[in-house]
Amino acid sequence: MTNPFLSFWMAGYECSDQLNYFGDRVDMLEATKHLCHIEEDYHLLKNFDIATVREGVQWSRVEEQPYCYDWNRVKKIIHAANKKNVQVIWDLCHFGYPDNLSPLHPHFCKRFVAFAVAFVQMYRSINPGGYLILTPVNEVSFISWLGGEVGATSPFTRQHGWQVKYNLMQAYIQAVKAMKSIDDNIVILTTEPLINIIPEDFNDALQVETARCKSEEQFQMLDMLYGNICPELGGSPDLVDIIGCNYYHNNQWFYPSGEQLNWRNASGIEGYKSLSELCGEVVQRYNLPVVISETSHTGEDKSLWMGFITGECEKMIDNGIPLWGICIYPALNRPDWDYPDQWHDSGIWGVNTENYCRENQADYAIQIKDCIKIMNRAQTLIFNN
């Protein structure tokens, strides 16, 4: 397929709606007042020539009663995007499930498929043409670990990560099939963490093999979707169109200590893999285009990190890797899931918590514009050659 995105650079609006560690419902769209300021937020993107965004449907807010849907908040995003000529990539489930429902519930798959189909029907009643780009479930690998292994969100279990992942992928696969059966212009973008686990002792064969196996687990989601493993779920290659790689500064760590790799001086460390190497492996494995679907850092490191990411993406373009976009995530500073009084300084814009005005992050904005120029130049050189 051809590249469906309106802009190479994208902005993501934090839309998590899960139950946090303490069992309280998170609503990041409400916390940042994005829906109240959505036209302003979209207008600000024009300073960076960003025309593609990631947004969340927030399943828990839409389906407060089984099979009864309230689309008012979602329609506000659709209408604002239409007005501001912004393209939306939709996360149907960004960590949150409706009350009294989890991936271990026997009705989970049926409920999710019905919800996904209802979304497509609602969306097409407003926008009947063009691509509809969807991520059915964001970061299946991470949310399976968070809720199934360490009990920090629904279903609040331990040592059930595989079962949570399996059930999520059953719903994912059936939802994609149902949506594609009624709409030929649906594009599926997966968004999974891209990680690398490094053994601390390369002379310890067991440690090396364990680290390799743990790194390999990141591909279970895509292998299920492809039908490479668990064929009874009905996966096949036509169920995914673009692979999104979520990559942050803490996505590489040592085994067994769990100590994070220092990204600033990692290039000389045995076992380290650059972002361009990791994405190259993904493309080689699945033969699909990739997007850096989430990336950012916090505080003073934001600008350094974005320059680092841009350099790696420039390498990908030079090496012929089909990289179709970079999503700065989040676009707005946002509070912590578990401790909402603590805000993460990771956005393009700050949020004044008294009046929720958007605050310009001048140094970061300059860095992003420089990064945009670098990538524009890299793509132009490749095109001209």
Side-chain angles (χ1 to χ4, degrees), residues 1-279:
M1 66 175 295
T2 57
N3 188 331
F5 301 116
L6 291 185
S7 64
F8 181 84
W9 288 84
M10 310 171 189
Y13 292 94
E14 175 66 90
C15 54
S16 304
D17 62 321
Q18 78 273 21
L19 298 176
N20 67 13
Y21 177 81
F22 302 103
D24 299 323
R25 176 70 66 184
V26 170
D27 185 345
M28 288 294 158
L29 293 182
E30 175 61 26
T32 60
K33 295 292 189 279
H34 174 53
L35 294 183
C36 297
H37 294 261
I38 189 166
E39 290 191 19
E40 175 192 357
D41 288 344
Y42 286 172
H43 180 75
L44 289 170
L45 297 176
K46 296 185 184 301
N47 293 324
F48 304 93
D49 295 323
I50 292 175
T52 300
V53 300
R54 284 188 65 193
E55 295 275 14
V57 176
Q58 291 193 317
W59 186 13
S60 69
R61 295 298 301 266
V62 169
E63 188 181 355
E64 294 187 348
Q65 297 294 327
Y67 306 105
C68 296
Y69 310 112
D70 180 353
W71 300 110
N72 286 330
R73 285 159 57 101
V74 181
K75 287 180 179 179
K76 187 168 185 177
I77 300 174
I78 296 172
H79 292 308
N82 288 346
K83 183 176 180 179
K84 295 295 184 178
N85 296 314
V86 167
Q87 176 190 49
V88 177
I89 302 166
W90 297 94
D91 287 0
L92 295 183
C93 176
H94 196 113
F95 301 153
Y97 321 119
D99 292 339
N100 302 317
L101 188 68
S102 87
L104 300 183
H105 193 286
H107 293 170
F108 182 86
C109 182
K110 182 169 63 174
R111 289 269 298 275
F112 183 68
V113 173
F115 163 69
V117 169
F119 170 79
V120 173
Q121 293 170 334
M122 178 279 300
Y123 181 87
R124 286 309 189 194
S125 71
I126 301 172
N127 290 338
Y131 287 121
L132 174 52
I133 308 173
L134 296 168
T135 298
V137 181
N138 178 65
E139 291 195 330
V140 171
S141 300
F142 172 74
I143 200 63
S144 300
W145 169 82
L146 191 69
E149 287 294 328
V150 299
T153 189
S154 179
F156 296 102
T157 59
R158 295 179 181 273
Q159 299 182 340
H160 286 79
W162 169 255
Q163 191 61 53
V164 171
K165 183 183 292 185
Y166 186 93
N167 289 7
L168 282 171
M169 289 312 300
Q170 180 184 40
Y172 198 120
I173 289 167
Q174 291 194 23
V176 172
K177 288 184 174 182
M179 291 186 293
K180 288 203 169 199
S181 73
I182 63 172
D183 193 317
D184 293 333
N185 286 319
I186 283 180
V187 176
I188 299 299
L189 166 70
T190 61
T191 56
E192 290 293 301
L194 185 61
I195 67 167
N196 180 40
I197 302 174
I198 304 168
E200 290 178 307
D201 183 359
F202 277 89
N203 293 317
D204 185 330
L206 178 59
Q207 193 178 112
V208 170
E209 178 61 14
T210 303
R212 186 197 67 80
C213 290
K214 287 184 175 295
S215 284
E216 182 73 9
E217 287 176 3
Q218 69 183 299
F219 299 116
Q220 288 175 343
M221 176 271 175
L222 277 166
D223 283 345
M224 283 190 267
L225 189 58
Y226 250 65
N228 294 342
I229 61 173
C230 305
E232 70 278 6
L233 294 178
S236 62
D238 62 335
L239 300 183
V240 54
D241 302 293
I242 307 165
I243 297 176
C245 301
N246 294 354
Y247 190 75
Y248 294 95
H249 69 280
N250 54 359
N251 278 36
Q252 300 198 45
W253 62 89
F254 293 101
Y255 175 84
S257 70
E259 179 186 353
Q260 295 172 4
L261 200 69
N262 186 339
W263 61 275
R264 296 175 189 82
N265 56 9
S267 59
I269 295 175
E270 185 177 7
Y272 166 76
K273 293 183 179 180
S274 67
L275 175 59
S276 53
E277 287 179 272
L278 292 171
C279 286

Side-chain angles (χ1 to χ4, degrees), residues 273-308:
K273 293 183 179 180
S274 67
L275 175 59
S276 53
E277 287 179 272
L278 292 171
C279 286
E281 290 175 359
V282 171
V283 171
Q284 185 176 30
R285 183 172 181 137
Y286 297 105
N287 195 31
L288 285 174
V290 293
V291 168
I292 306 303
S293 43
E294 287 185 21
T295 194
S296 68
H297 209 323
T298 57
E300 295 179 357
D301 285 332
K302 289 195 296 188
S303 294
L304 289 173
W305 176 256
M306 197 53 63
F308 169 76

